[in-house]
């Protein structure tokens, strides 16, 4: 299940934590939520990715399409 979302997500009606943004993630809060997986579209900084991975959290970065072809 989803344990948190970014500042950009509409959380109205959901009891879910805000985890910051990809550029300014709340790393301590993410680690405390103990997710199995963090999915991002904009790459995290190397330091943030390493911190999450050292905490046993898998990080997947989705690539944004560059064209509609």
């Amino acid at each position: 299940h989803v344990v948190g979302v970014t500042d950009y997500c509409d959380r109205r009606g959901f009891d879910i934590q805000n985890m910051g943004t990809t550029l300014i993630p709340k790393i301590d809060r993410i680690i405390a939520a103990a997710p199995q997986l963090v999915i991002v579209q904009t790459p995290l900084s190397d330091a943030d990715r390493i911190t999450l991975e050292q905490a046993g959290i898998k990080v997947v970065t989705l690539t944004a399409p560059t064209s509609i072809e």
Side-chain angles (χ1 to χ4, degrees):
H1 71 277
V2 177
V3 297
V5 295
T6 69
D7 289 347
Y8 306 111
C9 296
D10 182 359
R11 297 179 297 140
R12 287 178 289 189
F14 295 95
D15 182 22
I16 195 163
Q17 290 188 27
N18 175 301
M19 301 295 180
T21 67
T22 304
L23 296 175
I24 307 171
K26 297 175 180 174
I27 296 295
D28 292 340
R29 188 177 289 180
I30 295 169
I31 292 170
Q36 294 176 333
L37 174 69
V38 170
I39 302 171
V40 297
Q41 185 168 357
T42 305
L44 289 172
S45 71
D46 289 340
D48 290 337
R49 176 181 291 277
I50 289 167
T51 300
L52 292 173
E53 289 174 344
Q54 287 177 339
I57 300 168
K58 182 175 181 176
V59 179
V60 173
T61 302
L62 304 177
T63 56
T66 56
S67 72
I68 57 172
E69 295 179 6

